[in-house]
Amino acid sequence: MEDKQNKVIADMAARLHEIAALPEDEARCLPGQFYTCPEFYQFEVETFLKKEWHCVGREDEVASPGDYFTTVLFDEPLLVIRGDDSEIRVLSNVCRHRGMPLAEGRGSARRLVCSYHAWSYARDGRLSNAPRMQDKGINAGNCSLPVFRSELWNGFIYVNLDDAAAPLSSRLQGLEALLDSYGTREMRIVHAQEEIWNTNWKCLVENFMEAYHLSVVHPETLHPYTPTGLSRKSMANDSFTSYCANYPEAAESRGFGAPGLSDEERKRSTLFCLFPTQIASQAATLLVSLSIQPLAVDKIMVRWTMSTYSNELTRDELDQRLALWNEVNREDREKLERMQRALSSRHAPSGHLAPRDYEGTIWDFYRYLSRSIEKPTTTSAEI
Amino acid sequence: MPRVTWKCSDGKTISADIETGVSLMEAAVNLNVPGIFGDCGGALSCATCHVVLDEAWQHIVPGPTDMEGEMLEVVEGGRTDRSRLSCQIRVTEQLDGIVLHVGV
C-alpha cells in the first residue's frame, strides 16, 4: 500500500519536473490530480510547506505590548504577541501543562493565563505561575512557551515552523526593489479577517497571480480598473513572481500614496506572490495581503488584511474598497470552489497556459514548486 | 466609597475609591496594580493576588480561612503573618483607608 502511494507521488513529482521544464511559450497547467490527491498534498506539507516562511499578518495588528492575535499553521496553534520589550514573538498557543490553547481570537493581555488550571505566562512566553506545582520542579526554565522563528519585513510578520530554516530576509531583495517606492512598511492596517475556502492552496495562488481571468470573472468589480488586456508580467526570481495590473488612461485616480511613486506606479496595482503562500496587491493607497493556510487538499484558511497609506482615503472610501475586495474575493471563491469539484475528473486537463503577460506567473510558480520538490532519481518502472 | 491604597515594592503608591462589594483583587487588576494578577479569576487556585495588610489593619480584617491559608503557603515571595489573598477580601465601609503592601 505504502509502495503504491510512493509510486503515485514519485510519478507526480516526475510530471511536475517535466511541466516546469517546458519553455515559457509552451507552458502548460498541472493536471487535476495535483490539486485533488490527498497523498500528494501531505507530501507537499511535509517536504516543503512546513519548512517555508509564511506570512501571518501585519506588525500593527499588535501595536502595543500585550496585543496579540491567534492563528493556526499546519495544525500548529500560534500566538502572535508583542512583548514588554516591544518585540513581536510567535509563541506556541498551547499550555505546557495539559495542552489547552491559551488565547483565542485577538486582544490584549497583561499575561497569558490558561483557562483550564490557571497556569500563567508573561508576554514573552516565560512561565509566570503554575499553581500548586512548586514541588514538581516546574519552572520558567522547563515550562515556558516555545518560540517559533519569526521575521519582520515591510510591516509583515512571517513565521517558520522549522528551526533549521534559512533566514527569510536574505532572499527578499528582488521583491524589495519591486515595492521600493510604495512605503509598504508604513501602511496602516484597517481590516483583518479569516475565511475558509474549499479549494486547493495552489489554485488560489494561481488565480490571484494571473490576469487572464480578470475581465471575465470580475466584469463589474475589477475590469473597469484592471482589465486583462492592460496587464503585464513584472519582476520575478526564485522567491517571488509578480505582474502589473495597469489602470486604463481614462480611469479615475486611485490616490496619490507615497511621495516617491512614479506616475506609472500610481496608475497600477502590483500583484505579487512571495512563495509559497503569500499573495498581495500593492497599490498607491491600498495594500491587500492574503495569507493562505492550507488545511487539507481541498480546503484553506485565508487570512487577509487591508492596509492603507497615511490618511489620504476617507472612512467612506475605505469602506467602499473593503466592500469591493469582499466582492472580488467572493467572485474568485465561487469559481475556485466549482473548479475544485471538477478537478478530480480523469479528464481534468494539463491545458495550455495563456501568454506570458496573462499567465506567465503560473509558470514561475511551477518552477518554484519544482525547486521545492526533488526530482525522483528512479524512473517509475524501477519502483 | 471606601479608599484603598496599594504600596508596591518599587515605591509606587496607587490609591482609589472602590465600590463596596468589589474584591480587592478585582479592584487591583482594574487599576493595573503591578504584582496583582488574579490569574484564576478569584477561585482560590493561583495565589497571584497576594497582599500584605498594613500593620494597622491586621486586626480589623478577619483572618484567612483554611483553604486560603493553604494557598498562602505557596505565594511568591513567601507568606508573612499579615499575608492575604486579595480575591478573598471584599470592600466594605469598615475598610475605608486600608493600606496593602504588594510584592513584599
Side-chain angles (χ1 to χ4, degrees), chain A residues 316-368:
Chain A
D316 277 356
E317 284 172 318
L318 285 168
D319 285 346
Q320 283 163 18
R321 301 287 183 97
L322 183 58
L324 180 83
W325 270 94
N326 265 309
E327 181 59 14
V328 168
N329 285 341
R330 193 196 60 75
E331 289 167 339
D332 283 327
R333 177 178 174 174
E334 193 262 336
K335 292 290 181 288
L336 292 181
E337 293 191 341
R338 269 174 63 200
M339 186 169 73
Q340 185 68 33
R341 293 195 288 272
L343 283 172
S344 308
S345 160
R346 64 192 164 104
H347 295 299
S350 176
H352 286 278
L353 287 176
R356 182 174 193 272
D357 281 332
Y358 311 126
E359 287 192 324
T361 47
I362 296 183
W363 184 67
D364 289 341
F365 179 50
Y366 291 165
R367 290 188 303 153
Y368 161 79

Short mmCIF file of all heavy atoms in Angstrom, two decimals, chain A residues 316-368:
data_model
loop_
_atom_site.label_atom_id
_atom_site.label_comp_id
_atom_site.label_asym_id
_atom_site.label_seq_id
_atom_site.Cartn_x
_atom_site.Cartn_y
_atom_site.Cartn_z
N ASP A 316 -15.26 56.49 4.40
CA ASP A 316 -16.22 56.02 3.39
C ASP A 316 -15.50 55.34 2.23
O ASP A 316 -15.93 54.29 1.76
CB ASP A 316 -17.05 57.19 2.85
CG ASP A 316 -18.21 57.50 3.78
OD1 ASP A 316 -18.39 56.76 4.77
OD2 ASP A 316 -18.93 58.49 3.51
N GLU A 317 -14.40 55.97 1.78
CA GLU A 317 -13.65 55.38 0.67
C GLU A 317 -13.07 54.02 1.07
O GLU A 317 -13.08 53.07 0.29
CB GLU A 317 -12.53 56.32 0.22
CG GLU A 317 -13.04 57.50 -0.59
CD GLU A 317 -11.96 58.55 -0.86
OE1 GLU A 317 -11.18 58.86 0.08
OE2 GLU A 317 -11.91 59.06 -1.98
N LEU A 318 -12.58 53.95 2.31
CA LEU A 318 -12.02 52.67 2.78
C LEU A 318 -13.12 51.60 2.85
O LEU A 318 -12.89 50.44 2.47
CB LEU A 318 -11.36 52.85 4.14
CG LEU A 318 -9.99 53.55 4.10
CD1 LEU A 318 -9.55 53.92 5.51
CD2 LEU A 318 -8.94 52.67 3.44
N ASP A 319 -14.30 52.00 3.31
CA ASP A 319 -15.41 51.05 3.36
C ASP A 319 -15.77 50.55 1.96
O ASP A 319 -16.07 49.37 1.77
CB ASP A 319 -16.64 51.69 4.02
CG ASP A 319 -16.47 51.81 5.54
OD1 ASP A 319 -15.55 51.15 6.07
OD2 ASP A 319 -17.24 52.55 6.16
N GLN A 320 -15.72 51.48 0.98
CA GLN A 320 -16.02 51.07 -0.41
C GLN A 320 -14.97 50.09 -0.92
O GLN A 320 -15.31 49.11 -1.59
CB GLN A 320 -16.06 52.29 -1.33
CG GLN A 320 -17.34 53.12 -1.21
CD GLN A 320 -17.17 54.51 -1.81
OE1 GLN A 320 -16.24 54.76 -2.59
NE2 GLN A 320 -18.06 55.42 -1.44
N ARG A 321 -13.68 50.37 -0.63
CA ARG A 321 -12.62 49.46 -1.08
C ARG A 321 -12.77 48.08 -0.43
O ARG A 321 -12.56 47.06 -1.07
CB ARG A 321 -11.23 50.02 -0.74
CG ARG A 321 -10.93 51.38 -1.34
CD ARG A 321 -10.65 51.30 -2.83
NE ARG A 321 -10.29 52.62 -3.33
CZ ARG A 321 -9.03 53.03 -3.51
NH1 ARG A 321 -8.04 52.22 -3.27
NH2 ARG A 321 -8.78 54.24 -3.95
N LEU A 322 -13.14 48.10 0.85
CA LEU A 322 -13.31 46.84 1.56
C LEU A 322 -14.47 46.05 0.95
O LEU A 322 -14.36 44.83 0.72
CB LEU A 322 -13.58 47.13 3.05
CG LEU A 322 -13.71 45.92 3.96
CD1 LEU A 322 -12.45 45.06 3.91
CD2 LEU A 322 -13.97 46.37 5.40
N ALA A 323 -15.55 46.75 0.65
CA ALA A 323 -16.71 46.09 0.03
C ALA A 323 -16.31 45.53 -1.33
O ALA A 323 -16.70 44.41 -1.70
CB ALA A 323 -17.87 47.08 -0.10
N LEU A 324 -15.51 46.30 -2.09
CA LEU A 324 -15.06 45.84 -3.41
C LEU A 324 -14.22 44.56 -3.27
O LEU A 324 -14.43 43.59 -3.98
CB LEU A 324 -14.23 46.94 -4.09
CG LEU A 324 -13.70 46.57 -5.48
CD1 LEU A 324 -14.76 46.81 -6.54
CD2 LEU A 324 -12.43 47.34 -5.82
N TRP A 325 -13.28 44.57 -2.32
CA TRP A 325 -12.42 43.40 -2.14
C TRP A 325 -13.21 42.18 -1.68
O TRP A 325 -12.94 41.06 -2.09
CB TRP A 325 -11.26 43.71 -1.18
CG TRP A 325 -10.09 44.22 -1.95
CD1 TRP A 325 -9.77 45.52 -2.18
CD2 TRP A 325 -9.11 43.43 -2.63
NE1 TRP A 325 -8.64 45.59 -2.97
CE2 TRP A 325 -8.22 44.32 -3.25
CE3 TRP A 325 -8.90 42.06 -2.78
CZ2 TRP A 325 -7.13 43.89 -4.01
CZ3 TRP A 325 -7.82 41.62 -3.54
CH2 TRP A 325 -6.95 42.53 -4.14
N ASN A 326 -14.19 42.42 -0.82
CA ASN A 326 -15.04 41.30 -0.40
C ASN A 326 -15.78 40.71 -1.59
O ASN A 326 -15.91 39.49 -1.71
CB ASN A 326 -16.03 41.76 0.68
CG ASN A 326 -15.49 41.49 2.08
OD1 ASN A 326 -15.07 40.37 2.38
ND2 ASN A 326 -15.48 42.51 2.91
N GLU A 327 -16.24 41.58 -2.48
CA GLU A 327 -16.98 41.11 -3.65
C GLU A 327 -16.03 40.37 -4.61
O GLU A 327 -16.37 39.30 -5.14
CB GLU A 327 -17.66 42.30 -4.34
CG GLU A 327 -18.48 41.95 -5.57
CD GLU A 327 -19.62 40.96 -5.32
OE1 GLU A 327 -19.96 40.71 -4.14
OE2 GLU A 327 -20.15 40.40 -6.31
N VAL A 328 -14.85 40.92 -4.82
CA VAL A 328 -13.86 40.27 -5.70
C VAL A 328 -13.50 38.88 -5.15
O VAL A 328 -13.47 37.89 -5.88
CB VAL A 328 -12.58 41.15 -5.82
CG1 VAL A 328 -11.44 40.36 -6.47
CG2 VAL A 328 -12.89 42.41 -6.62
N ASN A 329 -13.26 38.81 -3.85
CA ASN A 329 -12.93 37.52 -3.24
C ASN A 329 -14.08 36.52 -3.39
O ASN A 329 -13.87 35.34 -3.62
CB ASN A 329 -12.58 37.69 -1.75
CG ASN A 329 -11.19 38.28 -1.56
OD1 ASN A 329 -10.36 38.25 -2.48
ND2 ASN A 329 -10.92 38.82 -0.39
N ARG A 330 -15.29 37.03 -3.24
CA ARG A 330 -16.46 36.16 -3.39
C ARG A 330 -16.53 35.60 -4.80
O ARG A 330 -16.80 34.41 -5.01
CB ARG A 330 -17.74 36.94 -3.04
CG ARG A 330 -18.98 36.08 -2.86
CD ARG A 330 -20.27 36.89 -2.92
NE ARG A 330 -20.44 37.58 -4.20
CZ ARG A 330 -20.79 36.99 -5.34
NH1 ARG A 330 -21.01 35.69 -5.37
NH2 ARG A 330 -20.92 37.69 -6.46
N GLU A 331 -16.26 36.48 -5.79
CA GLU A 331 -16.31 36.04 -7.19
C GLU A 331 -15.24 34.97 -7.46
O GLU A 331 -15.50 33.97 -8.13
CB GLU A 331 -16.10 37.25 -8.12
CG GLU A 331 -17.29 38.20 -8.14
CD GLU A 331 -16.99 39.56 -8.82
OE1 GLU A 331 -15.80 39.95 -8.93
OE2 GLU A 331 -17.96 40.23 -9.21
N ASP A 332 -14.04 35.19 -6.95
CA ASP A 332 -12.96 34.21 -7.16
C ASP A 332 -13.27 32.90 -6.45
O ASP A 332 -13.08 31.81 -7.00
CB ASP A 332 -11.63 34.76 -6.63
CG ASP A 332 -11.02 35.79 -7.57
OD1 ASP A 332 -11.20 35.64 -8.80
OD2 ASP A 332 -10.38 36.73 -7.08
N ARG A 333 -13.75 33.04 -5.23
CA ARG A 333 -14.02 31.84 -4.43
C ARG A 333 -15.07 30.96 -5.09
O ARG A 333 -14.94 29.73 -5.12
CB ARG A 333 -14.49 32.29 -3.05
CG ARG A 333 -14.89 31.18 -2.14
CD ARG A 333 -15.29 31.77 -0.82
NE ARG A 333 -15.81 30.74 0.05
CZ ARG A 333 -16.12 30.96 1.32
NH1 ARG A 333 -15.97 32.16 1.82
NH2 ARG A 333 -16.59 29.99 2.06
N GLU A 334 -16.10 31.61 -5.63
CA GLU A 334 -17.18 30.85 -6.28
C GLU A 334 -16.61 30.03 -7.44
O GLU A 334 -16.93 28.85 -7.61
CB GLU A 334 -18.26 31.83 -6.74
CG GLU A 334 -19.57 31.21 -7.15
CD GLU A 334 -19.72 31.03 -8.65
OE1 GLU A 334 -19.04 31.78 -9.42
OE2 GLU A 334 -20.48 30.15 -9.07
N LYS A 335 -15.73 30.64 -8.23
CA LYS A 335 -15.12 29.92 -9.36
C LYS A 335 -14.21 28.79 -8.87
O LYS A 335 -14.26 27.67 -9.39
CB LYS A 335 -14.29 30.89 -10.22
CG LYS A 335 -15.12 31.93 -10.97
CD LYS A 335 -15.93 31.28 -12.08
CE LYS A 335 -16.75 32.32 -12.86
NZ LYS A 335 -17.91 32.84 -12.10
N LEU A 336 -13.38 29.10 -7.89
CA LEU A 336 -12.42 28.10 -7.43
C LEU A 336 -13.11 26.90 -6.78
O LEU A 336 -12.67 25.76 -6.95
CB LEU A 336 -11.42 28.73 -6.45
CG LEU A 336 -10.46 29.75 -7.07
CD1 LEU A 336 -9.49 30.29 -6.01
CD2 LEU A 336 -9.67 29.15 -8.23
N GLU A 337 -14.18 27.16 -6.03
CA GLU A 337 -14.86 26.04 -5.37
C GLU A 337 -15.58 25.16 -6.40
O GLU A 337 -15.64 23.95 -6.23
CB GLU A 337 -15.82 26.58 -4.30
CG GLU A 337 -15.04 27.23 -3.15
CD GLU A 337 -15.87 27.56 -1.92
OE1 GLU A 337 -17.11 27.63 -2.03
OE2 GLU A 337 -15.26 27.77 -0.84
N ARG A 338 -16.08 25.78 -7.46
CA ARG A 338 -16.69 24.96 -8.53
C ARG A 338 -15.63 24.16 -9.27
O ARG A 338 -15.83 22.99 -9.59
CB ARG A 338 -17.43 25.88 -9.52
CG ARG A 338 -18.89 26.08 -9.13
CD ARG A 338 -19.56 27.09 -10.04
NE ARG A 338 -19.62 26.67 -11.43
CZ ARG A 338 -19.81 27.50 -12.45
NH1 ARG A 338 -19.93 28.79 -12.23
NH2 ARG A 338 -19.89 27.05 -13.68
N MET A 339 -14.49 24.81 -9.54
CA MET A 339 -13.44 24.11 -10.28
C MET A 339 -12.88 22.94 -9.46
O MET A 339 -12.59 21.88 -9.99
CB MET A 339 -12.31 25.08 -10.63
CG MET A 339 -11.24 24.46 -11.52
SD MET A 339 -10.10 25.68 -12.17
CE MET A 339 -9.14 26.06 -10.73
N GLN A 340 -12.75 23.15 -8.12
CA GLN A 340 -12.19 22.10 -7.27
C GLN A 340 -12.97 20.79 -7.43
O GLN A 340 -12.40 19.71 -7.45
CB GLN A 340 -12.21 22.56 -5.81
CG GLN A 340 -11.54 21.61 -4.83
CD GLN A 340 -10.03 21.53 -5.05
OE1 GLN A 340 -9.40 22.50 -5.42
NE2 GLN A 340 -9.46 20.35 -4.83
N ARG A 341 -14.30 20.91 -7.57
CA ARG A 341 -15.13 19.71 -7.67
C ARG A 341 -14.89 18.98 -8.98
O ARG A 341 -15.10 17.78 -9.07
CB ARG A 341 -16.61 20.07 -7.50
CG ARG A 341 -16.93 20.56 -6.09
CD ARG A 341 -18.42 20.57 -5.80
NE ARG A 341 -19.13 21.63 -6.51
CZ ARG A 341 -19.29 22.87 -6.03
NH1 ARG A 341 -18.77 23.20 -4.87
NH2 ARG A 341 -19.94 23.78 -6.72
N ALA A 342 -14.46 19.71 -10.02
CA ALA A 342 -14.25 19.08 -11.32
C ALA A 342 -12.82 18.57 -11.51
O ALA A 342 -12.56 17.75 -12.39
CB ALA A 342 -14.59 20.07 -12.44
N LEU A 343 -11.91 19.05 -10.67
CA LEU A 343 -10.50 18.69 -10.89
C LEU A 343 -10.20 17.22 -10.63
O LEU A 343 -9.15 16.72 -11.02
CB LEU A 343 -9.59 19.58 -10.03
CG LEU A 343 -9.40 21.02 -10.55
CD1 LEU A 343 -8.64 21.87 -9.53
CD2 LEU A 343 -8.66 21.03 -11.89
N SER A 344 -11.11 16.51 -9.97
CA SER A 344 -10.90 15.07 -9.76
C SER A 344 -11.21 14.28 -11.03
O SER A 344 -10.92 13.09 -11.08
CB SER A 344 -11.80 14.56 -8.65
OG SER A 344 -11.65 15.32 -7.50
N SER A 345 -11.81 14.92 -12.01
CA SER A 345 -12.16 14.21 -13.26
C SER A 345 -10.92 13.61 -13.90
O SER A 345 -9.85 14.21 -13.90
CB SER A 345 -12.79 15.22 -14.23
OG SER A 345 -12.72 14.71 -15.55
N ARG A 346 -11.09 12.42 -14.47
CA ARG A 346 -9.93 11.83 -15.16
C ARG A 346 -9.64 12.59 -16.44
O ARG A 346 -8.61 12.41 -17.07
CB ARG A 346 -10.15 10.34 -15.43
CG ARG A 346 -11.30 10.00 -16.36
CD ARG A 346 -11.58 8.50 -16.28
NE ARG A 346 -12.87 8.18 -16.84
CZ ARG A 346 -13.04 7.63 -18.05
NH1 ARG A 346 -12.00 7.35 -18.79
NH2 ARG A 346 -14.25 7.37 -18.49
N HIS A 347 -10.58 13.49 -16.82
CA HIS A 347 -10.32 14.34 -17.99
C HIS A 347 -9.77 15.72 -17.61
O HIS A 347 -9.60 16.57 -18.48
CB HIS A 347 -11.60 14.51 -18.81
CG HIS A 347 -12.07 13.22 -19.41
ND1 HIS A 347 -11.31 12.50 -20.31
CD2 HIS A 347 -13.21 12.52 -19.22
CE1 HIS A 347 -11.97 11.41 -20.65
NE2 HIS A 347 -13.13 11.38 -20.00
N ALA A 348 -9.54 15.94 -16.30
CA ALA A 348 -9.01 17.26 -15.90
C ALA A 348 -7.69 17.48 -16.63
O ALA A 348 -6.77 16.68 -16.51
CB ALA A 348 -8.84 17.34 -14.39
N PRO A 349 -7.60 18.55 -17.38
CA PRO A 349 -6.53 18.68 -18.37
C PRO A 349 -5.22 19.24 -17.83
O PRO A 349 -5.18 19.82 -16.75
CB PRO A 349 -7.13 19.70 -19.35
CG PRO A 349 -7.96 20.58 -18.48
CD PRO A 349 -8.50 19.71 -17.38
N SER A 350 -4.19 19.02 -18.61
CA SER A 350 -2.96 19.78 -18.45
C SER A 350 -2.95 20.76 -19.62
O SER A 350 -2.19 20.63 -20.57
CB SER A 350 -1.75 18.84 -18.50
OG SER A 350 -0.57 19.58 -18.45
N GLY A 351 -3.85 21.75 -19.54
CA GLY A 351 -4.09 22.64 -20.68
C GLY A 351 -2.96 23.65 -20.87
O GLY A 351 -2.08 23.79 -20.03
N HIS A 352 -3.01 24.35 -22.02
CA HIS A 352 -2.00 25.37 -22.30
C HIS A 352 -2.22 26.59 -21.43
O HIS A 352 -3.35 27.04 -21.24
CB HIS A 352 -2.11 25.80 -23.78
CG HIS A 352 -1.58 24.75 -24.72
ND1 HIS A 352 -0.25 24.62 -24.98
CD2 HIS A 352 -2.22 23.80 -25.42
CE1 HIS A 352 -0.08 23.62 -25.83
NE2 HIS A 352 -1.26 23.09 -26.12
N LEU A 353 -1.14 27.16 -20.95
CA LEU A 353 -1.25 28.43 -20.23
C LEU A 353 -1.29 29.58 -21.24
O LEU A 353 -0.71 29.49 -22.33
CB LEU A 353 -0.06 28.62 -19.28
CG LEU A 353 -0.05 27.75 -18.02
CD1 LEU A 353 1.24 27.97 -17.23
CD2 LEU A 353 -1.26 28.06 -17.14
N ALA A 354 -1.96 30.65 -20.87
CA ALA A 354 -2.07 31.83 -21.73
C ALA A 354 -0.70 32.54 -21.83
O ALA A 354 0.19 32.26 -21.03
CB ALA A 354 -3.12 32.78 -21.14
N PRO A 355 -0.55 33.46 -22.77
CA PRO A 355 0.73 34.14 -22.94
C PRO A 355 1.26 34.79 -21.65
O PRO A 355 0.50 35.07 -20.72
CB PRO A 355 0.43 35.21 -23.99
CG PRO A 355 -0.70 34.64 -24.78
CD PRO A 355 -1.53 33.86 -23.79
N ARG A 356 2.55 35.04 -21.69
CA ARG A 356 3.34 35.49 -20.54
C ARG A 356 2.67 36.59 -19.69
O ARG A 356 2.61 36.50 -18.46
CB ARG A 356 4.67 36.00 -21.09
CG ARG A 356 5.65 36.47 -20.08
CD ARG A 356 6.98 36.79 -20.74
NE ARG A 356 7.99 36.96 -19.72
CZ ARG A 356 8.26 38.11 -19.12
NH1 ARG A 356 7.61 39.22 -19.48
NH2 ARG A 356 9.18 38.19 -18.17
N ASP A 357 2.16 37.64 -20.33
CA ASP A 357 1.58 38.75 -19.56
C ASP A 357 0.34 38.34 -18.77
O ASP A 357 -0.03 39.00 -17.81
CB ASP A 357 1.20 39.92 -20.49
CG ASP A 357 2.43 40.74 -20.89
OD1 ASP A 357 3.40 40.76 -20.09
OD2 ASP A 357 2.43 41.32 -21.99
N TYR A 358 -0.30 37.24 -19.20
CA TYR A 358 -1.56 36.85 -18.56
C TYR A 358 -1.42 35.68 -17.60
O TYR A 358 -2.10 35.61 -16.59
CB TYR A 358 -2.62 36.55 -19.63
CG TYR A 358 -2.71 37.65 -20.66
CD1 TYR A 358 -2.60 37.38 -22.02
CD2 TYR A 358 -2.86 38.97 -20.26
CE1 TYR A 358 -2.67 38.39 -22.96
CE2 TYR A 358 -2.91 40.00 -21.19
CZ TYR A 358 -2.82 39.71 -22.55
OH TYR A 358 -2.86 40.71 -23.46
N GLU A 359 -0.56 34.72 -17.94
CA GLU A 359 -0.41 33.57 -17.05
C GLU A 359 1.06 33.14 -16.85
O GLU A 359 1.31 32.05 -16.33
CB GLU A 359 -1.24 32.36 -17.56
CG GLU A 359 -2.75 32.56 -17.33
CD GLU A 359 -3.58 31.30 -17.55
OE1 GLU A 359 -3.26 30.50 -18.45
OE2 GLU A 359 -4.58 31.14 -16.83
N GLY A 360 1.97 34.01 -17.24
CA GLY A 360 3.40 33.68 -17.07
C GLY A 360 3.79 33.48 -15.61
O GLY A 360 4.74 32.75 -15.29
N THR A 361 3.04 34.12 -14.72
CA THR A 361 3.33 33.98 -13.28
C THR A 361 3.10 32.54 -12.81
O THR A 361 3.75 32.08 -11.88
CB THR A 361 2.42 34.93 -12.48
OG1 THR A 361 1.09 34.77 -12.98
CG2 THR A 361 2.86 36.38 -12.64
N ILE A 362 2.15 31.86 -13.46
CA ILE A 362 1.87 30.47 -13.07
C ILE A 362 3.06 29.58 -13.44
O ILE A 362 3.45 28.69 -12.68
CB ILE A 362 0.56 29.97 -13.74
CG1 ILE A 362 -0.63 30.80 -13.23
CG2 ILE A 362 0.34 28.48 -13.48
CD1 ILE A 362 -1.99 30.35 -13.76
N TRP A 363 3.65 29.88 -14.58
CA TRP A 363 4.86 29.16 -14.99
C TRP A 363 5.98 29.37 -13.95
O TRP A 363 6.68 28.43 -13.56
CB TRP A 363 5.28 29.66 -16.38
CG TRP A 363 6.44 28.97 -17.00
CD1 TRP A 363 6.49 27.68 -17.44
CD2 TRP A 363 7.74 29.54 -17.28
NE1 TRP A 363 7.72 27.40 -17.99
CE2 TRP A 363 8.51 28.53 -17.90
CE3 TRP A 363 8.30 30.80 -17.08
CZ2 TRP A 363 9.83 28.74 -18.32
CZ3 TRP A 363 9.61 31.01 -17.50
CH2 TRP A 363 10.36 29.98 -18.10
N ASP A 364 6.11 30.61 -13.48
CA ASP A 364 7.09 30.89 -12.40
C ASP A 364 6.79 30.06 -11.16
O ASP A 364 7.69 29.55 -10.51
CB ASP A 364 7.05 32.38 -12.00
CG ASP A 364 7.62 33.29 -13.07
OD1 ASP A 364 8.37 32.79 -13.94
OD2 ASP A 364 7.32 34.50 -13.01
N PHE A 365 5.51 29.97 -10.83
CA PHE A 365 5.09 29.23 -9.63
C PHE A 365 5.44 27.74 -9.77
O PHE A 365 5.95 27.12 -8.84
CB PHE A 365 3.58 29.44 -9.42
CG PHE A 365 3.00 28.71 -8.24
CD1 PHE A 365 3.58 28.80 -6.97
CD2 PHE A 365 1.84 27.96 -8.38
CE1 PHE A 365 3.02 28.14 -5.87
CE2 PHE A 365 1.27 27.30 -7.29
CZ PHE A 365 1.87 27.39 -6.04
N TYR A 366 5.20 27.18 -10.95
CA TYR A 366 5.52 25.76 -11.16
C TYR A 366 7.02 25.52 -11.02
O TYR A 366 7.45 24.49 -10.52
CB TYR A 366 5.07 25.29 -12.55
CG TYR A 366 3.57 25.23 -12.72
CD1 TYR A 366 3.00 25.13 -13.99
CD2 TYR A 366 2.72 25.27 -11.62
CE1 TYR A 366 1.63 25.08 -14.15
CE2 TYR A 366 1.35 25.22 -11.78
CZ TYR A 366 0.81 25.13 -13.05
OH TYR A 366 -0.55 25.08 -13.20
N ARG A 367 7.79 26.50 -11.51
CA ARG A 367 9.24 26.33 -11.39
C ARG A 367 9.67 26.41 -9.92
O ARG A 367 10.58 25.71 -9.49
CB ARG A 367 9.98 27.33 -12.28
CG ARG A 367 9.77 26.95 -13.78
CD ARG A 367 10.62 27.78 -14.69
NE ARG A 367 10.32 29.19 -14.47
CZ ARG A 367 11.19 30.17 -14.68
NH1 ARG A 367 12.39 29.89 -15.14
NH2 ARG A 367 10.85 31.41 -14.46
N TYR A 368 9.00 27.26 -9.14
CA TYR A 368 9.25 27.27 -7.68
C TYR A 368 8.93 25.88 -7.10
O TYR A 368 9.72 25.32 -6.32
CB TYR A 368 8.42 28.35 -6.98
CG TYR A 368 8.29 28.09 -5.50
CD1 TYR A 368 9.33 28.41 -4.63
CD2 TYR A 368 7.16 27.46 -4.97
CE1 TYR A 368 9.25 28.12 -3.28
CE2 TYR A 368 7.06 27.16 -3.62
CZ TYR A 368 8.11 27.50 -2.79
OH TYR A 368 8.03 27.19 -1.45
#
